[in-house]
Amino acid sequence: MNINDNSGITNYVAKADRYEQMKYRRCGKSGLLLPMISLGLWHNFGHTDDFNNGRQLLRTAFDFGITHFDLANNYGPPYGAAEDNFGRIFQKDFVPYRDELIISTKAGWDMWPGPYGNYGSRKYLIASLDQSLKRMGLDYVDIFYHHRPDPETPLEETMGALHHIVQQGKALYVGISQYNAEDTARAQEILQDLGTPLLIHQPRYNMFDRWVENGLLDVLRQKGVGAIAFSPLEQGILTNKYLKGLPEDSRAVKDARYLNADHITPEVLDKVAKLNAIASSREQSLAQMALAWVLRDETITTVLVGVSKKQQLLDNIEALKNTKFSSDELKQIGQILG
Ligand SMILES: NC(=O)c1ccc[n+]([C@@H]2O[C@H](COP(=O)([O-])OP(=O)(O)OC[C@H]3O[C@@H](n4cnc5c(N)ncnc54)[C@H](OP(=O)(O)O)[C@@H]3O)[C@@H](O)[C@H]2O)c1
């Protein structure tokens, strides 16, 4: 039943067939299945963004079986805003579906002033997760991440804090992000000794950024750790949207904090145009091919996309209709990427 709740958007009842189209992969050697496409709230959920658009994106995602929403303490702007807005949407729409959702958050980047609001101390991680839970109105998150390596805090302390958080019941699983292969192996061993498995690693991985292929994926495979690839579309560059200039409503124009016109050079666009031609021959959009390409290796559990529009999400979900590549296609793509 749809009832108007005076917010200009009707009350939410999830689609009954929401699990029919999405595919799920096991996260490493854990018991947890994740949707092959997950939704990130880094952009489009701040206080400067349209709240109802964000609400529509989360509803659409869940209606198509995207059970995993990824946040961090500092997503906004301002910091904390994405968790705040997610919490409001959660209360309005998702309370009945809590047990069908995998909600993650993170701490590791600068969050509040002074020596305790950054990096990887036990003090920071535990306080930050408590703040995140309050903002989102949750009792626990499903996955809590250390967001980036800390060159100074002993890894034992950071991993000990993650273990403690699981023991407290404030997170069901833990993960790390942006760690190199060597530190990932050590983190996994420390956590294993403590009795808390390392569930997942969140690295940046896309056609233009293949660093994980030099060791990290091997470690994850050997250790049975899952992987969620962030920015699989290189923040939108690996779509056809910039081929004819800079659209006014694109991230590179609207929000130049992390992506701007300087990143979209003629060399980049030349590669994008060539990749776009291969995608067409596969009867896919470039976005779909870029996601399928990241998912071609089953070590990658899921791709973590951001979207500003519902239609982008629907386009991305269709990627799962064709995730196989012929050796010829892989060779051609490899030649373009160089
Ligand atoms: N662990 C970390 O350190 C870290 C760092 C960064 C991100 N993340 C996570 O990864 C998530 C995704 O990152 P991201 O937003 O950079 O991912 P992305 O999927 O590479 O880029 C998202 C952008 O691509 C465009 N887009 C998406 N689908 C499209 C389609 N089908 N057609 C055309 N354009 C499309 C949209 O741009 P427009 O806005 O231009 O429409 C969208 O905002 C974040 O939300 C966050 O959860 C984690």
Side-chain angles (χ1 to χ4, degrees), residues 40-42 44 70 75 147 177-178 202 230-236 239 241-242 250-251 287 304-309 312 315-316:
L41 282 73
W42 180 31
N44 306 305
D70 180 73
Y75 290 175
H147 206 160
S177 180
Q178 304 194 5
Q202 187 172 132
F230 79 74
S231 298
L233 300 175
E234 185 73 36
Q235 298 199 58
T239 70
K241 68 165 7 125
Y242 293 112
S250 64
R251 187 180 294 186
L304 179 50
V305 298
V307 289
S308 63
K309 296 174 188 64
Q312 293 174 348
D315 182 36
N316 295 343

PDB file of all heavy atoms in Angstrom, residues 40-42 44 70 75 147 177-178 202 230-236 239 241-242 250-251 287 304-309 312 315-316, ligand 1:
ATOM      1  N   GLY A  40      27.156   3.116  -3.029  1.00  0.00           N
ATOM      2  CA  GLY A  40      27.926   3.958  -2.113  1.00  0.00           C
ATOM      3  C   GLY A  40      27.310   5.336  -1.961  1.00  0.00           C
ATOM      4  O   GLY A  40      26.729   5.885  -2.900  1.00  0.00           O
ATOM      5  N   LEU A  41      27.461   5.916  -0.766  1.00  0.00           N
ATOM      6  CA  LEU A  41      26.828   7.209  -0.455  1.00  0.00           C
ATOM      7  C   LEU A  41      27.856   8.332  -0.270  1.00  0.00           C
ATOM      8  O   LEU A  41      27.625   9.303   0.427  1.00  0.00           O
ATOM      9  CB  LEU A  41      25.937   7.082   0.802  1.00  0.00           C
ATOM     10  CG  LEU A  41      24.563   6.430   0.583  1.00  0.00           C
ATOM     11  CD1 LEU A  41      24.674   4.929   0.363  1.00  0.00           C
ATOM     12  CD2 LEU A  41      23.634   6.692   1.754  1.00  0.00           C
ATOM     13  N   TRP A  42      29.007   8.179  -0.905  1.00  0.00           N
ATOM     14  CA  TRP A  42      30.068   9.192  -0.802  1.00  0.00           C
ATOM     15  C   TRP A  42      29.577  10.546  -1.335  1.00  0.00           C
ATOM     16  O   TRP A  42      29.787  11.582  -0.709  1.00  0.00           O
ATOM     17  CB  TRP A  42      31.271   8.701  -1.616  1.00  0.00           C
ATOM     18  CG  TRP A  42      32.472   9.588  -1.646  1.00  0.00           C
ATOM     19  CD1 TRP A  42      32.910  10.440  -0.680  1.00  0.00           C
ATOM     20  CD2 TRP A  42      33.420   9.682  -2.717  1.00  0.00           C
ATOM     21  NE1 TRP A  42      34.078  11.054  -1.076  1.00  0.00           N
ATOM     22  CE2 TRP A  42      34.406  10.596  -2.322  1.00  0.00           C
ATOM     23  CE3 TRP A  42      33.543   9.059  -3.963  1.00  0.00           C
ATOM     24  CZ2 TRP A  42      35.500  10.931  -3.137  1.00  0.00           C
ATOM     25  CZ3 TRP A  42      34.632   9.378  -4.770  1.00  0.00           C
ATOM     26  CH2 TRP A  42      35.599  10.302  -4.358  1.00  0.00           C
ATOM     27  N   ASN A  44      26.184  12.685  -3.382  1.00  0.00           N
ATOM     28  CA  ASN A  44      24.723  12.720  -3.621  1.00  0.00           C
ATOM     29  C   ASN A  44      23.866  12.537  -2.367  1.00  0.00           C
ATOM     30  O   ASN A  44      22.644  12.490  -2.469  1.00  0.00           O
ATOM     31  CB  ASN A  44      24.293  11.668  -4.676  1.00  0.00           C
ATOM     32  CG  ASN A  44      25.084  11.827  -5.966  1.00  0.00           C
ATOM     33  OD1 ASN A  44      25.101  12.908  -6.541  1.00  0.00           O
ATOM     34  ND2 ASN A  44      25.775  10.779  -6.395  1.00  0.00           N
ATOM     35  N   ASP A  70      26.911   1.503   1.368  1.00  0.00           N
ATOM     36  CA  ASP A  70      28.223   1.784   1.956  1.00  0.00           C
ATOM     37  C   ASP A  70      28.358   3.261   2.322  1.00  0.00           C
ATOM     38  O   ASP A  70      28.175   4.138   1.477  1.00  0.00           O
ATOM     39  CB  ASP A  70      29.312   1.415   0.942  1.00  0.00           C
ATOM     40  CG  ASP A  70      30.708   1.680   1.472  1.00  0.00           C
ATOM     41  OD1 ASP A  70      31.159   0.918   2.346  1.00  0.00           O
ATOM     42  OD2 ASP A  70      31.342   2.666   1.033  1.00  0.00           O
ATOM     43  N   TYR A  75      31.449  11.120   4.904  1.00  0.00           N
ATOM     44  CA  TYR A  75      30.725  11.385   3.657  1.00  0.00           C
ATOM     45  C   TYR A  75      29.728  12.511   3.888  1.00  0.00           C
ATOM     46  O   TYR A  75      29.023  12.548   4.882  1.00  0.00           O
ATOM     47  CB  TYR A  75      30.002  10.128   3.147  1.00  0.00           C
ATOM     48  CG  TYR A  75      30.934   9.038   2.622  1.00  0.00           C
ATOM     49  CD1 TYR A  75      30.430   7.807   2.224  1.00  0.00           C
ATOM     50  CD2 TYR A  75      32.314   9.235   2.522  1.00  0.00           C
ATOM     51  CE1 TYR A  75      31.263   6.799   1.735  1.00  0.00           C
ATOM     52  CE2 TYR A  75      33.148   8.242   2.039  1.00  0.00           C
ATOM     53  CZ  TYR A  75      32.628   7.016   1.652  1.00  0.00           C
ATOM     54  OH  TYR A  75      33.452   6.029   1.178  1.00  0.00           O
ATOM     55  N   HIS A 147      39.432   2.911   7.326  1.00  0.00           N
ATOM     56  CA  HIS A 147      39.269   3.532   6.006  1.00  0.00           C
ATOM     57  C   HIS A 147      40.575   3.693   5.222  1.00  0.00           C
ATOM     58  O   HIS A 147      40.561   3.796   4.009  1.00  0.00           O
ATOM     59  CB  HIS A 147      38.625   4.903   6.233  1.00  0.00           C
ATOM     60  CG  HIS A 147      37.831   5.447   5.097  1.00  0.00           C
ATOM     61  ND1 HIS A 147      36.893   6.430   5.260  1.00  0.00           N
ATOM     62  CD2 HIS A 147      37.827   5.181   3.767  1.00  0.00           C
ATOM     63  CE1 HIS A 147      36.353   6.741   4.095  1.00  0.00           C
ATOM     64  NE2 HIS A 147      36.901   6.000   3.173  1.00  0.00           N
ATOM     65  N   SER A 177      40.381  -0.711   4.148  1.00  0.00           N
ATOM     66  CA  SER A 177      40.322  -0.062   2.838  1.00  0.00           C
ATOM     67  C   SER A 177      41.669   0.558   2.527  1.00  0.00           C
ATOM     68  O   SER A 177      42.346   1.068   3.432  1.00  0.00           O
ATOM     69  CB  SER A 177      39.236   1.023   2.861  1.00  0.00           C
ATOM     70  OG  SER A 177      39.154   1.658   1.615  1.00  0.00           O
ATOM     71  N   GLN A 178      42.031   0.495   1.251  1.00  0.00           N
ATOM     72  CA  GLN A 178      43.241   1.148   0.756  1.00  0.00           C
ATOM     73  C   GLN A 178      44.545   0.571   1.308  1.00  0.00           C
ATOM     74  O   GLN A 178      45.599   1.176   1.139  1.00  0.00           O
ATOM     75  CB  GLN A 178      43.187   2.665   1.013  1.00  0.00           C
ATOM     76  CG  GLN A 178      41.950   3.321   0.422  1.00  0.00           C
ATOM     77  CD  GLN A 178      42.023   4.826   0.359  1.00  0.00           C
ATOM     78  OE1 GLN A 178      43.043   5.421   0.673  1.00  0.00           O
ATOM     79  NE2 GLN A 178      40.959   5.471  -0.056  1.00  0.00           N
ATOM     80  N   GLN A 202      38.391  -3.047   0.799  1.00  0.00           N
ATOM     81  CA  GLN A 202      37.755  -2.093  -0.128  1.00  0.00           C
ATOM     82  C   GLN A 202      38.846  -1.293  -0.841  1.00  0.00           C
ATOM     83  O   GLN A 202      39.304  -0.272  -0.350  1.00  0.00           O
ATOM     84  CB  GLN A 202      36.788  -1.169   0.620  1.00  0.00           C
ATOM     85  CG  GLN A 202      35.992  -0.289  -0.335  1.00  0.00           C
ATOM     86  CD  GLN A 202      34.870   0.513   0.301  1.00  0.00           C
ATOM     87  OE1 GLN A 202      34.753   1.713   0.068  1.00  0.00           O
ATOM     88  NE2 GLN A 202      34.030  -0.121   1.092  1.00  0.00           N
ATOM     89  N   PHE A 230      35.895   0.035  -5.153  1.00  0.00           N
ATOM     90  CA  PHE A 230      35.276   1.367  -5.174  1.00  0.00           C
ATOM     91  C   PHE A 230      35.712   2.165  -6.398  1.00  0.00           C
ATOM     92  O   PHE A 230      36.724   1.869  -7.013  1.00  0.00           O
ATOM     93  CB  PHE A 230      35.479   2.119  -3.852  1.00  0.00           C
ATOM     94  CG  PHE A 230      36.819   2.792  -3.610  1.00  0.00           C
ATOM     95  CD1 PHE A 230      37.180   3.963  -4.259  1.00  0.00           C
ATOM     96  CD2 PHE A 230      37.693   2.274  -2.677  1.00  0.00           C
ATOM     97  CE1 PHE A 230      38.389   4.603  -3.999  1.00  0.00           C
ATOM     98  CE2 PHE A 230      38.912   2.899  -2.407  1.00  0.00           C
ATOM     99  CZ  PHE A 230      39.261   4.069  -3.078  1.00  0.00           C
ATOM    100  N   SER A 231      34.886   3.151  -6.758  1.00  0.00           N
ATOM    101  CA  SER A 231      35.050   3.968  -7.983  1.00  0.00           C
ATOM    102  C   SER A 231      35.281   3.088  -9.218  1.00  0.00           C
ATOM    103  O   SER A 231      36.206   3.347 -10.004  1.00  0.00           O
ATOM    104  CB  SER A 231      36.180   4.995  -7.820  1.00  0.00           C
ATOM    105  OG  SER A 231      35.896   5.900  -6.782  1.00  0.00           O
ATOM    106  N   PRO A 232      34.449   2.077  -9.446  1.00  0.00           N
ATOM    107  CA  PRO A 232      34.652   1.188 -10.597  1.00  0.00           C
ATOM    108  C   PRO A 232      34.455   1.911 -11.930  1.00  0.00           C
ATOM    109  O   PRO A 232      34.907   1.422 -12.963  1.00  0.00           O
ATOM    110  CB  PRO A 232      33.586   0.097 -10.396  1.00  0.00           C
ATOM    111  CG  PRO A 232      32.513   0.763  -9.590  1.00  0.00           C
ATOM    112  CD  PRO A 232      33.233   1.710  -8.675  1.00  0.00           C
ATOM    113  N   LEU A 233      33.804   3.082 -11.872  1.00  0.00           N
ATOM    114  CA  LEU A 233      33.598   3.863 -13.104  1.00  0.00           C
ATOM    115  C   LEU A 233      34.530   5.070 -13.135  1.00  0.00           C
ATOM    116  O   LEU A 233      34.296   6.013 -13.901  1.00  0.00           O
ATOM    117  CB  LEU A 233      32.134   4.327 -13.192  1.00  0.00           C
ATOM    118  CG  LEU A 233      31.095   3.192 -13.217  1.00  0.00           C
ATOM    119  CD1 LEU A 233      29.674   3.748 -13.171  1.00  0.00           C
ATOM    120  CD2 LEU A 233      31.283   2.329 -14.468  1.00  0.00           C
ATOM    121  N   GLU A 234      35.583   5.033 -12.321  1.00  0.00           N
ATOM    122  CA  GLU A 234      36.525   6.164 -12.252  1.00  0.00           C
ATOM    123  C   GLU A 234      35.727   7.474 -12.081  1.00  0.00           C
ATOM    124  O   GLU A 234      35.920   8.449 -12.797  1.00  0.00           O
ATOM    125  CB  GLU A 234      37.411   6.198 -13.503  1.00  0.00           C
ATOM    126  CG  GLU A 234      38.502   7.241 -13.523  1.00  0.00           C
ATOM    127  CD  GLU A 234      39.673   6.954 -12.602  1.00  0.00           C
ATOM    128  OE1 GLU A 234      40.047   5.791 -12.452  1.00  0.00           O
ATOM    129  OE2 GLU A 234      40.210   7.926 -12.029  1.00  0.00           O
ATOM    130  N   GLN A 235      34.814   7.440 -11.135  1.00  0.00           N
ATOM    131  CA  GLN A 235      33.962   8.590 -10.802  1.00  0.00           C
ATOM    132  C   GLN A 235      33.101   9.080 -11.972  1.00  0.00           C
ATOM    133  O   GLN A 235      32.672  10.235 -11.989  1.00  0.00           O
ATOM    134  CB  GLN A 235      34.798   9.746 -10.264  1.00  0.00           C
ATOM    135  CG  GLN A 235      35.527   9.422  -8.973  1.00  0.00           C
ATOM    136  CD  GLN A 235      35.932  10.680  -8.253  1.00  0.00           C
ATOM    137  OE1 GLN A 235      35.101  11.513  -7.908  1.00  0.00           O
ATOM    138  NE2 GLN A 235      37.220  10.833  -8.027  1.00  0.00           N
ATOM    139  N   GLY A 236      32.883   8.249 -12.949  1.00  0.00           N
ATOM    140  CA  GLY A 236      32.020   8.640 -14.080  1.00  0.00           C
ATOM    141  C   GLY A 236      32.786   8.778 -15.384  1.00  0.00           C
ATOM    142  O   GLY A 236      32.188   8.862 -16.455  1.00  0.00           O
ATOM    143  N   THR A 239      32.288   6.148 -18.459  1.00  0.00           N
ATOM    144  CA  THR A 239      30.942   6.084 -19.041  1.00  0.00           C
ATOM    145  C   THR A 239      31.030   6.935 -20.302  1.00  0.00           C
ATOM    146  O   THR A 239      32.065   7.546 -20.562  1.00  0.00           O
ATOM    147  CB  THR A 239      29.879   6.694 -18.091  1.00  0.00           C
ATOM    148  OG1 THR A 239      30.077   8.112 -18.045  1.00  0.00           O
ATOM    149  CG2 THR A 239      29.978   6.132 -16.687  1.00  0.00           C
ATOM    150  N   LYS A 241      29.512   9.704 -20.705  1.00  0.00           N
ATOM    151  CA  LYS A 241      28.970  11.035 -20.418  1.00  0.00           C
ATOM    152  C   LYS A 241      29.911  12.197 -20.770  1.00  0.00           C
ATOM    153  O   LYS A 241      29.444  13.292 -21.052  1.00  0.00           O
ATOM    154  CB  LYS A 241      28.547  11.149 -18.960  1.00  0.00           C
ATOM    155  CG  LYS A 241      29.700  11.118 -18.009  1.00  0.00           C
ATOM    156  CD  LYS A 241      29.392  11.572 -16.594  1.00  0.00           C
ATOM    157  CE  LYS A 241      27.964  11.827 -16.297  1.00  0.00           C
ATOM    158  NZ  LYS A 241      27.511  11.038 -15.132  1.00  0.00           N
ATOM    159  N   TYR A 242      31.234  11.972 -20.751  1.00  0.00           N
ATOM    160  CA  TYR A 242      32.157  13.093 -21.016  1.00  0.00           C
ATOM    161  C   TYR A 242      32.653  13.118 -22.466  1.00  0.00           C
ATOM    162  O   TYR A 242      33.497  13.936 -22.818  1.00  0.00           O
ATOM    163  CB  TYR A 242      33.336  13.044 -20.041  1.00  0.00           C
ATOM    164  CG  TYR A 242      32.921  13.302 -18.604  1.00  0.00           C
ATOM    165  CD1 TYR A 242      32.989  12.299 -17.635  1.00  0.00           C
ATOM    166  CD2 TYR A 242      32.438  14.550 -18.213  1.00  0.00           C
ATOM    167  CE1 TYR A 242      32.588  12.522 -16.317  1.00  0.00           C
ATOM    168  CE2 TYR A 242      32.038  14.791 -16.899  1.00  0.00           C
ATOM    169  CZ  TYR A 242      32.118  13.772 -15.961  1.00  0.00           C
ATOM    170  OH  TYR A 242      31.714  14.015 -14.668  1.00  0.00           O
ATOM    171  N   SER A 250      27.024  16.967 -14.268  1.00  0.00           N
ATOM    172  CA  SER A 250      27.979  15.891 -13.972  1.00  0.00           C
ATOM    173  C   SER A 250      28.834  16.240 -12.754  1.00  0.00           C
ATOM    174  O   SER A 250      28.988  17.411 -12.406  1.00  0.00           O
ATOM    175  CB  SER A 250      28.891  15.642 -15.176  1.00  0.00           C
ATOM    176  OG  SER A 250      29.675  16.793 -15.408  1.00  0.00           O
ATOM    177  N   ARG A 251      29.425  15.207 -12.156  1.00  0.00           N
ATOM    178  CA  ARG A 251      30.264  15.405 -10.969  1.00  0.00           C
ATOM    179  C   ARG A 251      31.420  16.360 -11.267  1.00  0.00           C
ATOM    180  O   ARG A 251      31.755  17.219 -10.443  1.00  0.00           O
ATOM    181  CB  ARG A 251      30.809  14.060 -10.467  1.00  0.00           C
ATOM    182  CG  ARG A 251      31.545  14.191  -9.137  1.00  0.00           C
ATOM    183  CD  ARG A 251      32.097  12.868  -8.632  1.00  0.00           C
ATOM    184  NE  ARG A 251      31.062  11.902  -8.287  1.00  0.00           N
ATOM    185  CZ  ARG A 251      31.314  10.721  -7.710  1.00  0.00           C
ATOM    186  NH1 ARG A 251      32.549  10.386  -7.391  1.00  0.00           N
ATOM    187  NH2 ARG A 251      30.339   9.885  -7.437  1.00  0.00           N
ATOM    188  N   ALA A 287      29.464   2.120 -19.217  1.00  0.00           N
ATOM    189  CA  ALA A 287      29.358   1.902 -17.761  1.00  0.00           C
ATOM    190  C   ALA A 287      29.173   0.410 -17.469  1.00  0.00           C
ATOM    191  O   ALA A 287      29.842  -0.165 -16.605  1.00  0.00           O
ATOM    192  CB  ALA A 287      28.198   2.706 -17.185  1.00  0.00           C
ATOM    193  N   LEU A 304      31.264  -1.307  -6.175  1.00  0.00           N
ATOM    194  CA  LEU A 304      30.607  -0.299  -5.336  1.00  0.00           C
ATOM    195  C   LEU A 304      30.431   0.967  -6.160  1.00  0.00           C
ATOM    196  O   LEU A 304      31.378   1.745  -6.326  1.00  0.00           O
ATOM    197  CB  LEU A 304      31.485  -0.058  -4.103  1.00  0.00           C
ATOM    198  CG  LEU A 304      31.043   0.971  -3.078  1.00  0.00           C
ATOM    199  CD1 LEU A 304      29.595   0.774  -2.657  1.00  0.00           C
ATOM    200  CD2 LEU A 304      31.951   0.905  -1.865  1.00  0.00           C
ATOM    201  N   VAL A 305      29.230   1.148  -6.708  1.00  0.00           N
ATOM    202  CA  VAL A 305      29.008   2.308  -7.572  1.00  0.00           C
ATOM    203  C   VAL A 305      28.419   3.465  -6.788  1.00  0.00           C
ATOM    204  O   VAL A 305      27.796   3.281  -5.741  1.00  0.00           O
ATOM    205  CB  VAL A 305      28.049   1.980  -8.750  1.00  0.00           C
ATOM    206  CG1 VAL A 305      28.615   0.897  -9.649  1.00  0.00           C
ATOM    207  CG2 VAL A 305      26.657   1.612  -8.264  1.00  0.00           C
ATOM    208  N   GLY A 306      28.622   4.660  -7.337  1.00  0.00           N
ATOM    209  CA  GLY A 306      27.893   5.839  -6.886  1.00  0.00           C
ATOM    210  C   GLY A 306      26.970   6.210  -8.033  1.00  0.00           C
ATOM    211  O   GLY A 306      27.314   5.973  -9.187  1.00  0.00           O
ATOM    212  N   VAL A 307      25.816   6.770  -7.745  1.00  0.00           N
ATOM    213  CA  VAL A 307      24.947   7.255  -8.823  1.00  0.00           C
ATOM    214  C   VAL A 307      24.297   8.560  -8.383  1.00  0.00           C
ATOM    215  O   VAL A 307      23.993   8.743  -7.202  1.00  0.00           O
ATOM    216  CB  VAL A 307      23.834   6.245  -9.207  1.00  0.00           C
ATOM    217  CG1 VAL A 307      24.402   5.037  -9.934  1.00  0.00           C
ATOM    218  CG2 VAL A 307      23.003   5.812  -8.024  1.00  0.00           C
ATOM    219  N   SER A 308      24.088   9.454  -9.359  1.00  0.00           N
ATOM    220  CA  SER A 308      23.367  10.692  -9.034  1.00  0.00           C
ATOM    221  C   SER A 308      21.923  10.604  -9.509  1.00  0.00           C
ATOM    222  O   SER A 308      21.116  11.447  -9.134  1.00  0.00           O
ATOM    223  CB  SER A 308      24.061  11.901  -9.663  1.00  0.00           C
ATOM    224  OG  SER A 308      24.050  11.805 -11.079  1.00  0.00           O
ATOM    225  N   LYS A 309      21.640   9.613 -10.363  1.00  0.00           N
ATOM    226  CA  LYS A 309      20.286   9.511 -10.924  1.00  0.00           C
ATOM    227  C   LYS A 309      19.825   8.062 -10.929  1.00  0.00           C
ATOM    228  O   LYS A 309      20.632   7.155 -11.149  1.00  0.00           O
ATOM    229  CB  LYS A 309      20.286  10.012 -12.371  1.00  0.00           C
ATOM    230  CG  LYS A 309      20.634  11.480 -12.486  1.00  0.00           C
ATOM    231  CD  LYS A 309      20.778  11.927 -13.928  1.00  0.00           C
ATOM    232  CE  LYS A 309      21.318  13.344 -13.977  1.00  0.00           C
ATOM    233  NZ  LYS A 309      22.691  13.456 -13.428  1.00  0.00           N
ATOM    234  N   GLN A 312      20.828   5.931 -13.899  1.00  0.00           N
ATOM    235  CA  GLN A 312      22.210   5.393 -13.901  1.00  0.00           C
ATOM    236  C   GLN A 312      22.247   4.055 -13.157  1.00  0.00           C
ATOM    237  O   GLN A 312      22.916   3.111 -13.580  1.00  0.00           O
ATOM    238  CB  GLN A 312      23.161   6.375 -13.218  1.00  0.00           C
ATOM    239  CG  GLN A 312      23.338   7.678 -13.980  1.00  0.00           C
ATOM    240  CD  GLN A 312      24.174   8.684 -13.200  1.00  0.00           C
ATOM    241  OE1 GLN A 312      24.434   8.506 -12.009  1.00  0.00           O
ATOM    242  NE2 GLN A 312      24.569   9.756 -13.860  1.00  0.00           N
ATOM    243  N   ASP A 315      20.783   1.398 -15.317  1.00  0.00           N
ATOM    244  CA  ASP A 315      21.760   1.078 -16.365  1.00  0.00           C
ATOM    245  C   ASP A 315      22.836   0.146 -15.791  1.00  0.00           C
ATOM    246  O   ASP A 315      23.174  -0.887 -16.377  1.00  0.00           O
ATOM    247  CB  ASP A 315      22.378   2.399 -16.854  1.00  0.00           C
ATOM    248  CG  ASP A 315      23.384   2.226 -17.982  1.00  0.00           C
ATOM    249  OD1 ASP A 315      23.174   1.343 -18.832  1.00  0.00           O
ATOM    250  OD2 ASP A 315      24.385   2.985 -18.018  1.00  0.00           O
ATOM    251  N   ASN A 316      23.336   0.480 -14.617  1.00  0.00           N
ATOM    252  CA  ASN A 316      24.428  -0.308 -14.030  1.00  0.00           C
ATOM    253  C   ASN A 316      23.990  -1.735 -13.682  1.00  0.00           C
ATOM    254  O   ASN A 316      24.756  -2.687 -13.866  1.00  0.00           O
ATOM    255  CB  ASN A 316      24.966   0.399 -12.781  1.00  0.00           C
ATOM    256  CG  ASN A 316      25.608   1.728 -13.119  1.00  0.00           C
ATOM    257  OD1 ASN A 316      25.944   1.984 -14.285  1.00  0.00           O
ATOM    258  ND2 ASN A 316      25.780   2.591 -12.137  1.00  0.00           N
TER     259      ASN A 316
HETATM  260  N1  LIG B   1      37.192   3.364   0.641  1.00  0.00           N
HETATM  261  C1  LIG B   1      37.459   4.513   0.075  1.00  0.00           C
HETATM  262  O1  LIG B   1      38.477   5.147   0.342  1.00  0.00           O
HETATM  263  C2  LIG B   1      36.497   5.050  -0.934  1.00  0.00           C
HETATM  264  C3  LIG B   1      36.851   6.132  -1.761  1.00  0.00           C
HETATM  265  C4  LIG B   1      35.929   6.555  -2.702  1.00  0.00           C
HETATM  266  C5  LIG B   1      34.693   5.937  -2.827  1.00  0.00           C
HETATM  267  N2  LIG B   1      34.369   4.914  -1.984  1.00  0.00           N
HETATM  268  C6  LIG B   1      33.058   4.256  -2.059  1.00  0.00           C
HETATM  269  O2  LIG B   1      32.782   3.889  -3.404  1.00  0.00           O
HETATM  270  C7  LIG B   1      31.519   4.449  -3.795  1.00  0.00           C
HETATM  271  C8  LIG B   1      31.510   4.726  -5.260  1.00  0.00           C
HETATM  272  O3  LIG B   1      32.539   5.666  -5.599  1.00  0.00           O
HETATM  273  P1  LIG B   1      32.325   6.616  -6.821  1.00  0.00           P
HETATM  274  O4  LIG B   1      31.110   7.439  -6.592  1.00  0.00           O
HETATM  275  O5  LIG B   1      33.607   7.275  -7.126  1.00  0.00           O
HETATM  276  O6  LIG B   1      31.966   5.497  -7.952  1.00  0.00           O
HETATM  277  P2  LIG B   1      31.842   5.458  -9.505  1.00  0.00           P
HETATM  278  O7  LIG B   1      30.745   4.473  -9.722  1.00  0.00           O
HETATM  279  O8  LIG B   1      33.166   5.217 -10.131  1.00  0.00           O
HETATM  280  O9  LIG B   1      31.377   6.908  -9.954  1.00  0.00           O
HETATM  281  C9  LIG B   1      30.093   7.378  -9.665  1.00  0.00           C
HETATM  282  C10 LIG B   1      29.676   8.455 -10.649  1.00  0.00           C
HETATM  283  O10 LIG B   1      29.662   7.935 -11.966  1.00  0.00           O
HETATM  284  C11 LIG B   1      28.551   8.424 -12.678  1.00  0.00           C
HETATM  285  N3  LIG B   1      27.729   7.275 -13.099  1.00  0.00           N
HETATM  286  C12 LIG B   1      27.413   6.161 -12.395  1.00  0.00           C
HETATM  287  N4  LIG B   1      26.697   5.312 -13.146  1.00  0.00           N
HETATM  288  C13 LIG B   1      26.572   5.893 -14.359  1.00  0.00           C
HETATM  289  C14 LIG B   1      25.958   5.505 -15.570  1.00  0.00           C
HETATM  290  N5  LIG B   1      25.352   4.336 -15.683  1.00  0.00           N
HETATM  291  N6  LIG B   1      26.028   6.350 -16.633  1.00  0.00           N
HETATM  292  C15 LIG B   1      26.663   7.533 -16.542  1.00  0.00           C
HETATM  293  N7  LIG B   1      27.275   7.967 -15.409  1.00  0.00           N
HETATM  294  C16 LIG B   1      27.215   7.144 -14.333  1.00  0.00           C
HETATM  295  C17 LIG B   1      27.812   9.368 -11.756  1.00  0.00           C
HETATM  296  O11 LIG B   1      28.370  10.651 -12.006  1.00  0.00           O
HETATM  297  P3  LIG B   1      27.557  12.022 -12.075  1.00  0.00           P
HETATM  298  O12 LIG B   1      27.512  12.479 -10.663  1.00  0.00           O
HETATM  299  O13 LIG B   1      28.445  12.851 -12.966  1.00  0.00           O
HETATM  300  O14 LIG B   1      26.199  11.762 -12.656  1.00  0.00           O
HETATM  301  C18 LIG B   1      28.238   8.911 -10.394  1.00  0.00           C
HETATM  302  O15 LIG B   1      28.152   9.913  -9.431  1.00  0.00           O
HETATM  303  C19 LIG B   1      31.372   5.665  -2.893  1.00  0.00           C
HETATM  304  O16 LIG B   1      30.033   6.106  -2.787  1.00  0.00           O
HETATM  305  C20 LIG B   1      31.911   5.130  -1.600  1.00  0.00           C
HETATM  306  O17 LIG B   1      30.920   4.346  -0.965  1.00  0.00           O
HETATM  307  C21 LIG B   1      35.248   4.457  -1.067  1.00  0.00           C
END
